[in-house]
Amino acid sequence: MVIPLWPKGAPGFEKRKNEPEQAKDWWVKNIHNPSLTVYLPPKEIATGASVIICPGGGHRELVFNAEGKEAAAFLNSIGVTAFVLKYRLFREEGSPYKEEHPKQDIFRAMRLVRSRATEFNIDTARIGVMGFSAGGEVAGWVSYYYNDKNFKNADAIDRLTARPAFQVLIYPGPGAVPASVASTSPPTFLLAANDDPCCSEPIVKLLQLHRIAKVPVEVHLYAQGKHAFNMGNRSSLTTLKTWPQRLADWLKDNGWLNKN
């Protein structure tokens, strides 16, 4: 199931909502009608927890399969409902968008999922956000600045809170790092490889900011793996092949996998 974030298209870009996306191999781009793709867990194991997933791709494309569908499949396997976000790409060649537009998309996505919680049998107190690389920046924007409005032409959905219950940042880009972390920021799971030239430093910085703010944080910094190992499925490294289990452990230990 695919749910557009706005029934009539993104505010200010309604005329572009019917332009087709471009997709090939591992990527999707030319996104003008941002949306959530819903992946439901088997009913017998559904916990009521949910996660909005933001794939990476440098804000030029979306790594939709390896950092969207595969992440959703893992979350489904532990009873978590997953929503993969297709957000607008402001660094794509010829893009009409700016950084403010994917910010609008993730804030709207959080509020939209909250507004449809009954439909998907999810607990509004356990809606999290997960992001990879550039998608980690998108996730961080809503986690650290959830009180911002980031909407135009507000409707009833936009009046709901955008705060995630928890966030998961996998080798997040530097844009995920705020100047400071508020004490009310959501508990956070951070993971990267130390030899990642772009996106290991952000989790080190975030760790320190969380410690200062006394906001719960768990960090996994692996010695090897570089960038973009996705869910570890294609890695030759044991630590990376099994990293999703560390996430499952964290979710379980914090009570987010308790059934409704």
Side-chain angles (χ1 to χ4, degrees):
M1 178 192 296
V2 176
I3 306 172
L5 297 188
W6 291 274
K8 296 180 181 179
F13 295 89
E14 291 86 353
K15 292 181 180 179
R16 305 197 69 165
K17 73 182 287 283
N18 293 321
E19 290 187 30
E21 296 171 355
Q22 297 173 9
K24 185 178 179 181
D25 302 327
W26 51 269
W27 54 259
V28 177
K29 54 187 179 181
N30 205 51
I31 296 162
H32 298 291
N33 190 22
S35 64
L36 290 165
T37 304
V38 186
Y39 296 88
L40 300 173
K43 285 185 178 180
E44 61 272 18
I45 65 168
T47 62
S50 62
V51 172
I52 295 173
I53 302 167
C54 307
H59 300 289
R60 290 179 292 274
E61 61 227 352
L62 291 186
V63 186
F64 190 80
N65 290 340
E67 294 179 354
K69 291 171 67 175
E70 290 180 15
F74 175 77
L75 290 169
N76 285 173
S77 76
I78 58 173
V80 177
T81 301
F83 301 85
V84 181
L85 175 63
K86 286 182 179 175
Y87 55 88
R88 287 171 287 175
L89 303 166
F90 67 92
R91 290 188 185 136
E92 183 180 356
E93 186 176 354
S95 173
Y97 304 116
K98 298 178 181 178
E99 187 177 297
E100 67 188 80
H101 296 112
K103 286 181 179 178
Q104 291 173 11
D105 297 345
I106 183 58
F107 274 69
R108 177 71 174 189
M110 287 296 308
R111 293 163 171 147
L112 182 59
V113 168
R114 193 175 302 280
S115 76
R116 299 181 68 162
T118 302
E119 176 184 348
F120 294 110
N121 195 29
I122 57 177
D123 181 356
T124 56
R126 290 184 288 148
I127 303 172
V129 66
M130 178 180 190
F132 297 80
S133 193
E137 296 182 330
V138 176
W141 292 335
V142 76
S143 294
Y144 295 121
Y145 302 102
Y146 61 84
N147 281 323
D148 290 359
K149 291 182 179 179
N150 280 312
F151 57 68
K152 291 186 176 181
N153 307 322
D155 57 17
I157 291 170
D158 292 319
R159 286 189 276 274
L160 299 172
T161 178
R163 184 187 183 276
F166 56 87
Q167 72 165 336
V168 177
L169 302 183
I170 310 302
Y171 44 81
V177 182
S180 62
V181 167
S183 62
T184 53
S185 298
T188 296
F189 179 96
L190 302 168
L191 186 143
N194 194 48
D195 59 358
D196 183 337
C198 80
C199 300
S200 55
E201 187 175 10
I203 75 166
V204 176
K205 289 181 176 179
L206 285 168
L207 168 63
Q208 186 61 16
L209 289 171
H210 274 255
R211 286 167 60 89
I212 292 168
K214 295 181 169 55
V215 172
V217 61
E218 179 161 320
V219 181
H220 296 267
L221 184 62
Y222 294 112
Q224 308 174 61
K226 295 190 166 64
H227 191 63
F229 46 79
N230 316 129
M231 293 298 290
N233 297 329
R234 286 166 291 279
S235 178
S236 61
L237 298 169
T238 302
T239 48
L240 296 190
K241 280 184 176 295
T242 60
W243 83 253
Q245 188 56 45
R246 308 289 76 74
L247 173 59
D249 295 343
W250 180 75
L251 291 169
K252 182 176 177 62
D253 287 348
N254 285 279
W256 289 304
L257 299 185
N258 294 338
K259 288 198 173 186
N260 283 340

